[in-house]
């Protein structure tokens, strides 16, 4: 079974089997077998090759973390991170920069985006001016669900304040063509971040702050339904959310 992910990634990077082999320290025939037979390399070789291609090794070889003969994860799973905090500010910036048509954000506050990603509003405005449709759904600081989450995470009124702070952060982009900000009071089972065909989903665990909870990285694939399911969830919440004006 061919490894289409590896083949497509090499093509997009303009990388031949010989070039990848030389940079990763393996034989060219080995790389060709990775592609043509779907053979899963040893971890060290996989990490080296993925580094050359600037891609996550688990995306290129989904069974890598479960053994050389294990059944693959869903075709849409790129990586699973134990904590959201493992994603660096540079990775968040790169993620949103990859969105050219659609950027969606469903959170309660996620003020870390403005605190850690330098020029986050400028990034959004630049994308919007280029035609990207941006939808941002923030938690309503006065909703019962937001207050409940604060108590569950022992955050007290802190999460309500952070929702208000998030709205302050986004105020400068409100009114920009192609950017819409709304507030919602739904139970937030997962925070969803979308950039075109890629998605970060920050799972929520009872009593645990979001930065310490797992984060899934998905990429849309022809055979997968995960992104579609999360997108449907986002759209449902968006339909119930209240638009924020420029006042």
């Amino acid at each position: 079974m061919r490894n289409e992910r590896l083949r497509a990634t090499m093509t997009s990077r303009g990388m031949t089997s010989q070039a990848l082999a030389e940079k990763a320290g393996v034989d060219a025939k080995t790389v060709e077998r990775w592609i043509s037979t779907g053979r899963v390399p040893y971890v060290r070789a996989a990490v080296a090759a993925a580094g050359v291609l600037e891609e996550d090794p688990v995306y290129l070889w989904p069974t890598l973390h479960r053994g050389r003969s294990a059944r693959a994860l869903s075709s849409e799973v790129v990586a699973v991170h134990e904590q959201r905090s493992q994603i660096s500010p540079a990775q968040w910036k790169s993620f949103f920069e990859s969105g050219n048509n659609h950027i969606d954000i469903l959170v309660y506050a996620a003020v870390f985006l403005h605190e850690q990603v330098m020029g986050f509003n400028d990034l959004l405005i630049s994308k919007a001016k280029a035609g990207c449709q941006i939808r941002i759904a923030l938690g309503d600081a006065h909703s019962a669900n937001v207050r409940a989450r604060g108590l569950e995470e022992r955050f007290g009124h802190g999460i309500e304040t952070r929702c208000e702070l998030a709205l302050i952060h986004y105020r400068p982009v409100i009114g920009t063509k192609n950017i819409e900000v709304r507030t919602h009071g739904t139970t937030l089972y997962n925070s969803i971040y979308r950039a075109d065909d890629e998605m970060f989903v920050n799972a929520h665990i009872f009593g645990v702050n979001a930065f310490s909870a797992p984060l899934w990285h998905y990429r849309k694939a022809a055979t997968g339904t995960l992104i579609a399911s999360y997108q449907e969830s986002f759209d449902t919440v968006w339909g119930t959310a209240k638009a924020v004006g420029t006042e």
Side-chain angles (χ1 to χ4, degrees):
M1 182 177 178
R2 287 172 61 85
N3 187 330
E4 292 298 332
R5 289 187 177 187
L6 176 58
R7 183 196 61 77
T9 301
M10 289 173 60
T11 299
S12 68
R13 305 291 194 274
M15 186 74 65
T16 65
S17 295
Q18 183 63 45
L20 178 58
E22 291 176 356
K23 291 179 179 296
V26 298
D27 188 88
K29 290 184 178 179
T30 298
V31 174
E32 291 169 2
R33 283 193 290 271
W34 293 346
I35 300 170
S36 63
T37 69
R39 179 174 295 184
V40 179
Y42 291 106
V43 173
R44 180 177 297 179
V47 171
V52 173
L53 295 170
E54 298 182 340
E55 185 53 88
D56 192 303
V58 178
Y59 172 73
L60 298 175
W61 295 282
T63 64
L64 186 65
H65 67 302
R66 295 167 58 181
R68 291 164 62 82
S69 62
R71 184 179 179 183
L73 293 171
S74 165
S75 58
E76 292 188 307
V77 177
V78 176
V80 179
H81 301 274
E82 294 181 358
Q83 297 185 353
R84 190 194 73 197
S85 57
Q86 293 175 337
I87 306 299
S88 70
Q91 286 175 292
W92 280 105
K93 186 174 183 180
S94 177
F95 173 78
F96 285 111
E97 285 178 336
S98 71
N100 295 312
N101 299 305
H102 298 281
I103 289 176
D104 290 332
I105 298 174
L106 171 62
V107 296
Y108 271 166
V111 294
F112 73 92
L113 290 174
H114 286 90
E115 293 172 346
Q116 299 179 18
V117 180
M118 186 175 297
F120 187 61
N121 277 350
D122 292 336
L123 187 160
L124 295 179
I125 292 172
S126 176
K127 287 293 180 180
K129 288 183 176 179
C132 184
Q133 301 294 316
I134 300 173
R135 299 183 295 176
I136 302 163
L138 305 173
D140 180 348
H142 304 292
S143 74
N145 284 319
V146 167
R147 291 197 296 271
R149 176 62 59 80
L151 293 174
E152 292 163 2
E153 296 182 2
R154 297 178 294 280
F155 225 57
H157 295 291
I159 193 166
E160 297 163 47
T161 301
R162 291 175 77 80
C163 286
E164 294 173 344
L165 178 59
L167 190 54
I168 291 173
H169 281 316
Y170 284 108
R171 281 288 179 194
V173 308
I174 297 174
T176 301
K177 183 180 179 181
N178 295 327
I179 297 180
E180 186 173 0
V181 179
R182 297 184 182 182
T183 58
H184 68 98
T186 64
T187 301
L188 192 65
Y189 297 103
N190 299 281
S191 293
I192 298 174
Y193 307 87
R194 174 198 178 193
D196 287 348
D197 290 336
E198 301 213 24
M199 189 175 281
F200 280 164
V201 176
N202 187 187
H204 292 294
I205 301 174
F206 187 89
V208 176
N209 296 135
F211 64 83
S212 295
L215 183 141
W216 293 72
H217 182 184
Y218 299 126
R219 183 176 297 155
K220 189 174 182 180
T223 59
T225 61
L226 284 169
I227 282 186
S229 295
Y230 282 110
Q231 192 61 49
E232 182 178 358
S233 174
F234 177 96
D235 291 338
T236 299
V237 174
W238 186 254
T240 68
K242 180 182 178 181
V244 177
T246 57
E247 72 280 354

